[in-house]
């Protein structure tokens, strides 16, 4: 459909038909215009797979067996792979399955920055660094959208906590927005060509994000030239007039009074009274039709999609494998040798817990999910006895939500604070019983593997954690196990960091895994037994304690109505660097079962009046005995510069590449940086600027493991447009 045909189509539509296209007519669907061949627009959560289906006007599940779907690794897990190819393949599966389920748009991916590790939805996002998130989100969007399904990047913008999420006013300065919170969204729009952007629940500098003139009209439409459509988060609209004029195209909510939505009857009335010109409605319809046209919803030439394809499970297993991070292996206990082991003890609720049907709107009705217990049993077969003891009593079952939770999700009382850890006589007695059984069994096993961490009681939409402590008395259990078994293997399964300080210096073997999808338990087994060499790197800093974090050192308060981002650009590792705080584990950190050397670092600078290019190259050699993969990370920072270095981060990630090598093999990695890698946002000139001066280029394997530092001098002042 060309532009003239689209205008002709809009001209044939009545006001009622136009209004029907811009607000929900069902919980996940708008009205179509049947007489003109315009179908309804159907969306679905979510970030970890196409969500199960609900009744059109109530949050009751359909309850049939057609909507079992592949369960994908969380976005944090994908970011931990540091592999854009994995992001693309996972996005392709997500888009294919959404189309196969008859959806037009998948409400993913989420790319909010992890300002605080307490955020309940951190597991849905891609970590703390804007460059890493940008590099991973673009291929994921491309994979989704090649299936004639729209990707919907969310939540625009600065949705950094769940407590008071529908009312909190985030006060953020322009430079911080441009350097930290916008880049991943900008890349999603300009490079990924995302078809849709979802507004956040919160306010930004006094105005709700779902109808924020600055965000949606100035930044998204004008500066980034976005030509898709903007959809509200479900229930994110608060005012009809603002929604009409401030850039929103489609309103969705959690209630069934569809004709009473702000952009339904109330907006129609304003048009009829002359308060809102009908041309404003036309603009919204035009944006929606443009996306429908690109998805081939209007010409009958659309891809059909499919879901639960057996071939896709290999890709999802590979994604899970590459996401797992080896944090400690002091005594080289890992990888385990199955030929020398007859009796394995697995301790910890996460050793046999299913996580798919939890987390809020990220919930998935998984075709299957392999727990670590199942994965190890599948991998090892009948020659090894595997015993399981939960070790602690997880009293709240977080992976089965009440059907009505989402209908009540806009009530502040239901989304502030966090669930209580287990209390009372039942919890105490069961916890004591489980602990004693685990400690007794630990004495006799050949190998003891503790698999604990968090679950979707804590990594969950609508709630933030109160602190970083492990729930269910896990710290004491781990200490008790270590007193019996110094060779204890500890596996943390979480969506965000936890405080491990109580026992961290006492354990020699530590593995980080995530909500890793349907193949996650098998992937973990492969890592532990050396079938796969770990290559994941942390996409976020793991602090020693909450007080070390850049924001919310004392927790997130339900009383707060305003949130001042006083730390500015210094979130994540930027904060730890400039304040000389040593974390438990650094951003970008991750070990391997083999040894790599990085040598022959070379930096070539080419600059002209119009810009510059920096080529960084190194040689990576696998000097160990196992195949493996290393991630070369490039950071930049100010040297002696006309700007005050104190206002700039010491270093910032600006490039990375993962390389796989066999034992003894070498490979060359070349990473190209442009001038933007050295720029900072000028609030006075409203653009990014590279100031003349000296800059450092760090070749590294994490933000604190620097292999080489090179210095360059940039002679020209360069401006970069928005």
């Amino acid at each position: 459909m060309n532009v003239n045909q689209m205008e002709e189509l809009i001209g044939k539509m009545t006001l009622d038909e136009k209004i029907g296209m811009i607000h929900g007519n069902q919980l996940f669907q708008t009205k179509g215009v049947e007489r003109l061949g315009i179908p309804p627009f159907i969306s679905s959560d979510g970030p970890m797979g196409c969500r199960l289906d609900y009744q059109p006007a109530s949050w009751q599940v359909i309850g049939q067996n057609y909507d079992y779907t592949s369960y994908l690794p969380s976005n944090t897990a994908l970011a931990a792979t540091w592999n854009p190819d994995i992001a693309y393949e996972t996005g392709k599966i997500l888009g294919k399955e959404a189309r196969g389920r008859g959806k037009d748009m998948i409400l993913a991916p989420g790319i909010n920055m992890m300002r605080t590790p307490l955020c309940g939805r951190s597991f849905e996002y891609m970590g703390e660094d804007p460059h890493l998130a940008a590099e991973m989100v673009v291929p994921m969007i491309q994979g989704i959208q090649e299936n004639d399904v729209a990707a919907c990047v969310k939540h625009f913008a600065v949705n950094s906590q769940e407590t008071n999420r529908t009312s909190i006013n985030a006060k953020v300065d322009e430079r911080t927005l441009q350097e930290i919170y916008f880049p991943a969204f900008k890349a999603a729009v300009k490079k990924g060509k995302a078809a849709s952007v979802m507004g956040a629940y919160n306010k930004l500098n006094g105005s709700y994000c779902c109808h924020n003139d600055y965000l949606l009209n100035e930044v998204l439409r004008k500066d980034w030239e976005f030509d898709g459509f903007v959809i509200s988060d479900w229930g994110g609209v608060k005012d009809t007039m603002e929604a009409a004029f401030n850039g929103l195209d489609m309103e969705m909510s959690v209630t069934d009074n569809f004709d009473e939505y702000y952009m339904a009857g109330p907006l129609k009335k304003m048009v009829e009274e002359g308060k809102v010109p009908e041309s404003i409605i036309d603009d919204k319809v035009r944006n929606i039709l443009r996306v429908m046209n690109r998805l081939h919803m209007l010409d009958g030439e659309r891809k059909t999609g499919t879901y639960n394809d057996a071939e896709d499970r290999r890709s999802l297993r590979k994604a899970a494998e590459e996401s797992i991070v080896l944090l400690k292996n002091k005594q080289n206990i890992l990888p385990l040798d199955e030929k020398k082991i007859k009796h394995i003890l697995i301790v910890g609720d996460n050793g046999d817990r299913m996580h798919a049907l939890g987390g809020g709107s990220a919930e998935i009705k998984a075709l299957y999910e392999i727990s670590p217990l199942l994965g190890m049993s599948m991998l090892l077969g009948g020659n090894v006895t595997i015993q399981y003891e939960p070790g602690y009593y997880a009293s709240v079952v977080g992976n089965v939500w009440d059907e009505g939770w989402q209908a009540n999700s806009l009530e502040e009382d239901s989304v502030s604070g966090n669930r209580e850890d287990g209390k009372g006589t039942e919890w105490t007695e069961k916890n004591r019983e489980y602990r004693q059984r685990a400690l007794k069994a630990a004495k006799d096993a050949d190998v003891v593997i503790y698999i604990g961490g968090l679950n979707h009681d804590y990594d969950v939409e609508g709630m933030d954690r109160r602190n970083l402590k492990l729930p269910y008395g896990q710290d004491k259990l781990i200490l008790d196990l270590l007193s019996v078994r110094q060779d204890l293997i500890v596996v943390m399964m979480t969506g965000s960091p936890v405080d491990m300080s109580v026992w961290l210096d006492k354990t020699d073997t530590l593995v980080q895994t995530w909500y890793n999808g349907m193949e996650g338990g098998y992937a973990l087994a492969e890592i532990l037994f050396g079938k796969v060499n770990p290559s994941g790197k942390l996409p976020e800093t793991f602090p020693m304690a909450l007080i070390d974090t850049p924001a919310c050192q004392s927790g997130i308060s339900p009383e707060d109505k305003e949130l001042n981002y006083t730390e500015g650009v210094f979130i994540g590792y930027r904060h730890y660097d400039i304040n000389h705080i040593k974390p438990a584990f650094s951003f970008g950190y991750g070990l391997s079962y083999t040894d790599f050397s990085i040598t022959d670092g070379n930096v070539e600078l080419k600059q002209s009046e119009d810009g510059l290019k920096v080529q960084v190259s190194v040689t990576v050699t696998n000097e160990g005995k196992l195949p493996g993969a290393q991630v070369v990370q490039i950071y930049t920072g100010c040297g002696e510069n006309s700007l005050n270095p104190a206002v700039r981060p010491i270093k910032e990630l600006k490039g990375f590449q993962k390389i796989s090598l066999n034992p003894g093999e070498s490979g060359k990695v070349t990473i190209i940086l442009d001038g933007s890698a050295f720029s900072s946002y000028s609030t006075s000139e409203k653009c990014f600027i590279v100031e003349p001066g000296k800059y450092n280029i760090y070749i590294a394997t994490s933000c604190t493991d620097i292999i080489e530092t090179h210095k360059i001098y940039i002679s020209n002042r360069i401006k970069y447009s928005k």
Side-chain angles (χ1 to χ4, degrees):
M1 179 183 295
N2 60 38
V3 174
N4 292 334
Q5 290 172 322
M6 186 177 297
E7 294 306 314
E8 182 180 348
L9 187 61
I10 294 172
K12 293 178 180 178
M13 295 171 64
T14 66
L15 178 59
D16 281 334
E17 289 170 337
K18 295 173 186 175
I19 291 289
M21 287 186 63
I22 64 173
H23 73 85
N25 181 51
Q26 296 181 14
L27 293 175
F28 286 95
Q29 182 173 310
T30 62
K31 279 186 180 178
V33 185
E34 186 176 359
R35 70 180 184 89
L36 296 177
I38 302 173
F41 196 88
I42 305 170
S43 58
S44 174
D45 289 311
M48 298 176 71
C50 193
R51 193 179 183 184
L52 70 170
D53 282 339
Y54 289 86
Q55 299 289 343
S58 73
W59 292 98
Q60 292 183 337
V61 297
I62 296 291
Q64 298 173 1
N65 290 326
Y66 69 90
D67 55 355
Y68 284 95
T69 312
S70 295
Y71 173 37
L72 280 56
S74 67
N75 277 356
T76 304
L78 293 180
T81 70
W82 289 64
N83 187 341
D85 292 338
I86 292 287
Y88 167 75
E89 291 296 332
T90 305
K92 188 164 67 172
I93 293 169
L94 182 56
K96 182 170 68 172
E97 296 218 343
R99 183 79 286 274
R101 287 272 305 280
K103 313 303 181 184
D104 305 313
M105 179 165 70
I106 192 76
L107 304 178
I111 50 174
N112 293 104
M113 291 292 98
M114 194 189 78
R115 176 178 182 258
T116 165
L118 297 178
C119 177
R121 296 184 83 173
S122 288
F123 74 98
E124 294 187 44
Y125 305 141
M126 292 185 169
E128 69 185 30
D129 183 75
H131 181 79
L132 176 62
E135 291 296 303
M136 296 297 286
V137 76
V138 168
M140 187 174 188
I141 290 168
Q142 291 169 339
I144 291 170
Q145 294 192 162
E146 69 178 49
N147 293 280
D148 292 344
V149 169
C152 180
V153 292
K154 60 185 187 181
H155 307 87
F156 192 52
V158 294
N159 183 182
S160 302
Q161 68 177 57
E162 292 297 284
T163 302
N164 296 338
R165 64 177 178 166
T166 62
S167 61
I168 196 79
N169 179 31
K171 300 180 73 174
V172 194
D173 67 86
E174 175 76 2
R175 179 191 167 198
T176 299
L177 289 171
Q178 294 286 350
E179 292 190 16
I180 301 296
Y181 297 99
F182 283 175
F185 285 100
K186 181 179 180 180
V189 168
K190 295 186 73 69
K191 295 181 180 180
K193 305 299 181 184
S196 180
V197 172
M198 181 189 289
Y201 279 128
N202 53 281
K203 297 176 185 175
L204 171 63
N205 296 327
S207 178
Y208 280 104
C209 293
C210 283
H211 34 75
N212 186 304
D213 180 60
Y214 164 74
L215 275 180
L216 305 184
N217 287 332
E218 290 297 316
V219 175
L220 191 59
R221 292 287 182 196
K222 182 180 176 183
D223 294 345
W224 300 349
E225 300 176 322
F226 177 62
D227 66 351
F229 72 82
V230 178
I231 188 172
S232 75
D233 205 339
W234 268 234
V237 180
K238 306 296 182 180
D239 183 271
T240 296
M241 188 68 77
E242 290 187 15
F245 286 98
N246 291 349
L248 184 69
D249 298 308
M250 185 183 292
E251 178 191 5
M252 303 299 290
S253 192
V254 299
T255 56
D256 62 0
N257 56 334
F258 305 113
D259 292 336
E260 298 173 16
Y261 285 10
Y262 291 95
M263 288 196 1
L267 180 55
K268 177 187 175 185
K269 183 178 179 182
M270 285 187 173
V271 173
E272 292 173 336
E273 292 174 348
K275 296 177 181 178
V276 175
E278 191 168 344
S279 60
I280 292 291
I281 313 302
D282 292 346
D283 288 340
K284 301 178 190 305
V285 172
R286 186 175 294 111
N287 291 334
I288 295 168
L289 284 174
R290 188 181 302 116
V291 170
M292 294 177 109
N293 189 47
R294 289 174 184 166
L295 301 180
H296 298 284
M297 294 177 65
L298 305 175
D299 62 11
E301 298 179 3
R302 197 172 189 194
K303 293 180 180 178
T304 58
T306 185
Y307 58 109
N308 297 323
D309 189 329
E311 291 300 314
D312 291 336
R313 298 167 201 170
R314 296 179 183 274
S315 295
L316 296 179
R317 181 183 292 180
K318 181 172 174 56
E321 292 165 353
E322 290 204 24
S323 77
I324 297 171
V325 185
L326 179 62
L327 295 176
K328 295 181 76 173
N329 195 24
K330 271 190 170 183
Q331 304 303 323
N332 293 317
I333 292 173
L334 296 179
L336 297 169
D337 185 348
E338 63 191 272
K339 295 179 181 179
K340 297 179 180 179
I341 297 169
K342 295 297 183 183
H343 179 194
I344 295 173
L345 173 65
I346 298 175
V347 180
D349 181 75
N350 278 342
D352 199 33
R353 175 175 283 240
M354 302 295 184
H355 295 276
L357 198 61
S361 57
E363 64 188 8
I364 294 298
K365 187 177 175 181
L367 180 66
Y368 66 83
E369 177 181 356
I370 299 175
S371 72
L373 175 60
L374 174 57
M376 267 181 262
S377 300
M378 291 167 61
L379 182 70
L380 299 177
N383 290 336
V384 178
T385 298
I386 302 177
Q387 181 180 354
Y388 171 69
E389 294 289 348
Y392 58 89
Y393 177 47
S395 54
V396 178
V397 181
N399 58 356
V400 180
W401 280 67
D402 295 332
E403 286 186 347
W405 77 267
Q406 194 142 5
N408 300 320
S409 63
L410 303 184
E411 298 175 14
E412 288 295 359
D413 288 344
S414 71
V415 297
S416 61
N418 202 299
R419 302 181 183 192
E420 291 288 340
D421 206 352
K423 289 184 178 179
T425 304
E426 179 191 24
W427 183 85
T428 302
E429 290 180 354
K430 285 194 174 182
N431 230 24
R432 184 185 299 115
E433 175 194 347
Y434 288 179
R435 178 181 285 113
Q436 289 173 348
R437 280 168 35 189
L439 291 172
K440 181 180 179 181
K443 296 176 183 178
D444 300 323
D446 296 331
V447 173
V448 182
I449 304 171
Y450 180 84
I451 306 177
L454 301 176
N455 55 38
H456 287 311
D457 290 343
Y458 292 87
D459 283 319
V460 62
E461 178 179 358
M463 299 182 191
D464 296 311
R465 284 189 283 159
R466 291 177 174 171
N467 53 57
L468 292 180
K469 295 293 184 182
L470 283 169
Y472 313 121
Q474 291 182 75
D475 284 333
K476 176 173 172 46
L477 174 59
I478 294 171
L479 287 172
D480 288 348
L481 284 167
L482 284 167
S483 70
V484 176
R485 298 294 300 252
Q486 193 174 354
D487 61 349
L488 178 71
I489 298 166
V490 178
V491 178
M492 285 287 105
M493 182 184 296
T494 69
S496 50
V498 293
D499 184 341
M500 299 180 279
S501 59
V502 175
W503 46 265
L504 183 59
D505 62 346
K506 297 177 175 63
T507 185
D508 292 330
T509 313
L510 179 61
V511 175
Q512 172 67 33
T513 189
W514 320 89
Y515 305 117
N516 238 339
M518 59 204 299
E519 292 283 339
Y522 194 87
L524 178 61
E526 290 180 305
I527 293 290
L528 295 177
F529 285 88
K531 307 300 182 183
V532 173
N533 197 342
S535 63
K537 301 282 187 175
L538 291 180
E540 51 208 20
T541 305
F542 276 31
M544 287 298 295
L546 183 61
I547 196 171
D548 294 338
T549 61
C552 305
Q553 288 91 340
S554 58
I556 297 177
S557 172
E559 285 72 44
D560 290 340
K561 300 303 178 185
E562 284 199 337
L563 197 60
N564 288 293
Y565 283 48
T566 54
E567 73 283 353
V569 300
F570 295 97
I571 73 165
Y573 65 88
R574 293 163 172 80
H575 163 82
Y576 294 87
D577 272 358
I578 203 163
N579 291 290
H580 307 291
I581 298 171
K582 184 178 180 180
F585 298 101
S586 302
F587 172 82
Y589 177 82
L591 301 175
S592 172
Y593 295 150
T594 191
D595 297 314
F596 294 95
S597 66
I598 297 178
T599 57
D600 304 327
N602 184 58
V603 174
E604 296 180 11
L605 168 65
K606 295 180 181 179
Q607 55 185 321
S608 64
E609 293 182 0
D610 299 326
L612 61 90
K613 181 175 76 170
V614 177
Q615 178 175 293
V616 184
S617 59
V618 297
T619 298
V620 183
T621 302
N622 182 347
E623 298 184 337
K625 299 179 180 179
L626 296 172
Q630 178 63 286
V631 180
V632 177
Q633 302 167 35
I634 306 299
Y635 297 81
T636 67
C638 292
E640 298 171 13
N641 198 281
S642 58
L643 289 176
N644 180 0
V647 304
R648 296 279 301 267
I650 291 174
K651 67 176 97 67
E652 298 180 277
L653 180 73
K654 295 299 179 181
F656 63 90
Q657 186 175 322
K658 195 169 197 175
I659 182 172
S660 297
L661 297 168
N662 290 316
E665 184 182 8
S666 296
K668 188 172 183 179
V669 169
T670 300
I671 296 171
I672 306 295
L673 308 177
D674 63 20
S676 64
F678 306 92
S679 67
S680 181
Y681 188 79
S682 169
T683 54
S684 60
E685 299 184 60
K686 301 294 182 184
C687 64
F688 283 86
I689 293 177
V690 181
E691 296 286 353
K694 293 180 180 179
Y695 291 85
N696 297 324
I697 295 176
Y698 305 93
I699 300 170
T701 55
S702 84
C703 75
T704 54
D705 293 302
I706 309 300
I707 307 300
E708 295 180 11
T709 302
H710 295 257
K711 297 183 182 297
I712 62 170
Y713 182 80
I714 297 175
S715 57
N716 300 326
R717 189 174 194 264
I718 306 169
K719 290 186 179 182
Y720 288 86
S721 65
K722 293 180 180 180

Short mmCIF file of all heavy atoms in Angstrom, two decimals, residues 318-341:
data_model
loop_
_atom_site.label_atom_id
_atom_site.label_comp_id
_atom_site.label_asym_id
_atom_site.label_seq_id
_atom_site.Cartn_x
_atom_site.Cartn_y
_atom_site.Cartn_z
N LYS A 318 21.58 -23.33 23.27
CA LYS A 318 22.85 -22.62 23.06
C LYS A 318 22.83 -21.26 23.75
O LYS A 318 23.83 -20.83 24.36
CB LYS A 318 23.14 -22.46 21.57
CG LYS A 318 24.46 -21.75 21.27
CD LYS A 318 24.79 -21.78 19.79
CE LYS A 318 26.04 -20.95 19.49
NZ LYS A 318 27.22 -21.38 20.26
N ALA A 319 21.70 -20.57 23.66
CA ALA A 319 21.58 -19.28 24.35
C ALA A 319 21.77 -19.45 25.85
O ALA A 319 22.49 -18.67 26.50
CB ALA A 319 20.21 -18.66 24.06
N ALA A 320 21.14 -20.48 26.42
CA ALA A 320 21.29 -20.74 27.85
C ALA A 320 22.73 -21.09 28.19
O ALA A 320 23.29 -20.61 29.19
CB ALA A 320 20.35 -21.86 28.27
N GLU A 321 23.36 -21.91 27.37
CA GLU A 321 24.75 -22.30 27.62
C GLU A 321 25.67 -21.09 27.67
O GLU A 321 26.51 -20.96 28.56
CB GLU A 321 25.23 -23.26 26.51
CG GLU A 321 24.56 -24.62 26.52
CD GLU A 321 24.80 -25.39 25.23
OE1 GLU A 321 25.36 -24.81 24.26
OE2 GLU A 321 24.41 -26.57 25.18
N GLU A 322 25.52 -20.20 26.69
CA GLU A 322 26.43 -19.06 26.59
C GLU A 322 26.16 -17.99 27.64
O GLU A 322 26.97 -17.09 27.83
CB GLU A 322 26.37 -18.45 25.18
CG GLU A 322 26.97 -19.34 24.12
CD GLU A 322 27.44 -18.57 22.90
OE1 GLU A 322 27.73 -17.35 23.02
OE2 GLU A 322 27.51 -19.17 21.82
N SER A 323 25.03 -18.06 28.32
CA SER A 323 24.70 -17.04 29.31
C SER A 323 25.28 -17.34 30.68
O SER A 323 25.42 -16.44 31.51
CB SER A 323 23.18 -16.91 29.43
OG SER A 323 22.63 -17.99 30.19
N ILE A 324 25.59 -18.60 30.97
CA ILE A 324 26.01 -19.00 32.32
C ILE A 324 27.41 -18.48 32.59
O ILE A 324 28.32 -18.61 31.77
CB ILE A 324 25.92 -20.52 32.47
CG1 ILE A 324 24.46 -20.97 32.32
CG2 ILE A 324 26.48 -20.97 33.82
CD1 ILE A 324 24.26 -22.47 32.25
N VAL A 325 27.59 -17.88 33.78
CA VAL A 325 28.84 -17.20 34.13
C VAL A 325 29.55 -17.97 35.24
O VAL A 325 28.97 -18.22 36.31
CB VAL A 325 28.58 -15.76 34.59
CG1 VAL A 325 29.91 -15.02 34.82
CG2 VAL A 325 27.73 -15.00 33.57
N LEU A 326 30.78 -18.34 34.98
CA LEU A 326 31.63 -18.96 36.00
C LEU A 326 32.29 -17.84 36.79
O LEU A 326 33.12 -17.10 36.26
CB LEU A 326 32.67 -19.86 35.35
CG LEU A 326 33.66 -20.58 36.29
CD1 LEU A 326 32.92 -21.52 37.23
CD2 LEU A 326 34.71 -21.33 35.49
N LEU A 327 31.94 -17.72 38.07
CA LEU A 327 32.44 -16.62 38.90
C LEU A 327 33.67 -17.01 39.72
O LEU A 327 34.58 -16.20 39.90
CB LEU A 327 31.33 -16.13 39.83
CG LEU A 327 30.12 -15.49 39.15
CD1 LEU A 327 29.06 -15.12 40.18
CD2 LEU A 327 30.53 -14.26 38.35
N LYS A 328 33.70 -18.23 40.23
CA LYS A 328 34.86 -18.70 40.99
C LYS A 328 35.10 -20.17 40.68
O LYS A 328 34.16 -20.95 40.56
CB LYS A 328 34.63 -18.54 42.51
CG LYS A 328 34.49 -17.11 42.99
CD LYS A 328 34.30 -17.04 44.51
CE LYS A 328 35.58 -17.30 45.25
NZ LYS A 328 35.43 -17.07 46.72
N ASN A 329 36.38 -20.52 40.57
CA ASN A 329 36.76 -21.93 40.37
C ASN A 329 38.16 -22.13 40.91
O ASN A 329 39.05 -22.63 40.24
CB ASN A 329 36.67 -22.29 38.89
CG ASN A 329 36.68 -23.79 38.65
OD1 ASN A 329 36.31 -24.57 39.53
ND2 ASN A 329 37.10 -24.20 37.47
N LYS A 330 38.35 -21.72 42.18
CA LYS A 330 39.68 -21.62 42.78
C LYS A 330 40.42 -22.95 42.79
O LYS A 330 41.63 -23.00 42.54
CB LYS A 330 39.55 -21.09 44.21
CG LYS A 330 39.59 -19.58 44.30
CD LYS A 330 39.70 -19.17 45.76
CE LYS A 330 40.00 -17.68 45.85
NZ LYS A 330 40.18 -17.28 47.28
N GLN A 331 39.74 -24.01 43.14
CA GLN A 331 40.40 -25.32 43.24
C GLN A 331 40.22 -26.17 41.99
O GLN A 331 40.53 -27.36 42.00
CB GLN A 331 39.84 -26.07 44.46
CG GLN A 331 39.97 -25.33 45.78
CD GLN A 331 41.40 -24.95 46.12
OE1 GLN A 331 42.33 -25.72 45.85
NE2 GLN A 331 41.58 -23.78 46.70
N ASN A 332 39.70 -25.54 40.95
CA ASN A 332 39.46 -26.26 39.68
C ASN A 332 38.61 -27.50 39.88
O ASN A 332 38.82 -28.54 39.23
CB ASN A 332 40.79 -26.63 39.00
CG ASN A 332 41.55 -25.41 38.51
OD1 ASN A 332 40.96 -24.49 37.94
ND2 ASN A 332 42.84 -25.37 38.78
N ILE A 333 37.63 -27.37 40.76
CA ILE A 333 36.68 -28.47 40.96
C ILE A 333 35.85 -28.69 39.71
O ILE A 333 35.50 -29.82 39.37
CB ILE A 333 35.80 -28.18 42.18
CG1 ILE A 333 36.64 -28.23 43.46
CG2 ILE A 333 34.62 -29.14 42.27
CD1 ILE A 333 35.92 -27.79 44.70
N LEU A 334 35.56 -27.61 39.03
CA LEU A 334 34.83 -27.69 37.77
C LEU A 334 35.81 -27.68 36.62
O LEU A 334 36.85 -27.01 36.69
CB LEU A 334 33.86 -26.52 37.64
CG LEU A 334 32.72 -26.46 38.66
CD1 LEU A 334 31.85 -25.24 38.41
CD2 LEU A 334 31.86 -27.72 38.63
N PRO A 335 35.52 -28.40 35.54
CA PRO A 335 34.33 -29.22 35.33
C PRO A 335 34.42 -30.56 36.06
O PRO A 335 35.51 -31.09 36.28
CB PRO A 335 34.30 -29.43 33.81
CG PRO A 335 35.75 -29.36 33.42
CD PRO A 335 36.38 -28.35 34.33
N LEU A 336 33.26 -31.10 36.42
CA LEU A 336 33.18 -32.38 37.10
C LEU A 336 33.43 -33.52 36.11
O LEU A 336 33.07 -33.42 34.93
CB LEU A 336 31.81 -32.55 37.75
CG LEU A 336 31.46 -31.54 38.85
CD1 LEU A 336 29.99 -31.66 39.22
CD2 LEU A 336 32.34 -31.73 40.07
N ASP A 337 34.01 -34.57 36.62
CA ASP A 337 34.27 -35.76 35.80
C ASP A 337 33.23 -36.83 36.16
O ASP A 337 33.30 -37.43 37.24
CB ASP A 337 35.68 -36.28 36.05
CG ASP A 337 36.05 -37.44 35.14
OD1 ASP A 337 35.16 -38.00 34.46
OD2 ASP A 337 37.24 -37.82 35.12
N GLU A 338 32.31 -37.06 35.29
CA GLU A 338 31.21 -37.99 35.59
C GLU A 338 31.70 -39.42 35.81
O GLU A 338 31.05 -40.20 36.51
CB GLU A 338 30.18 -37.96 34.46
CG GLU A 338 30.72 -38.42 33.11
CD GLU A 338 29.76 -38.13 31.98
OE1 GLU A 338 28.90 -39.00 31.73
OE2 GLU A 338 29.86 -37.06 31.37
N LYS A 339 32.85 -39.76 35.25
CA LYS A 339 33.37 -41.13 35.40
C LYS A 339 33.89 -41.39 36.81
O LYS A 339 34.04 -42.55 37.21
CB LYS A 339 34.48 -41.38 34.38
CG LYS A 339 34.00 -41.34 32.94
CD LYS A 339 35.13 -41.57 31.96
CE LYS A 339 34.63 -41.52 30.52
NZ LYS A 339 35.74 -41.71 29.55
N LYS A 340 34.13 -40.33 37.56
CA LYS A 340 34.67 -40.48 38.91
C LYS A 340 33.61 -40.26 39.98
O LYS A 340 33.92 -40.23 41.17
CB LYS A 340 35.82 -39.49 39.12
CG LYS A 340 37.01 -39.70 38.21
CD LYS A 340 38.10 -38.67 38.47
CE LYS A 340 39.30 -38.88 37.54
NZ LYS A 340 40.36 -37.87 37.78
N ILE A 341 32.37 -40.09 39.55
CA ILE A 341 31.31 -39.73 40.49
C ILE A 341 30.21 -40.79 40.46
O ILE A 341 29.73 -41.18 39.39
CB ILE A 341 30.71 -38.35 40.12
CG1 ILE A 341 31.79 -37.27 40.24
CG2 ILE A 341 29.53 -38.01 41.02
CD1 ILE A 341 31.37 -35.94 39.66
#
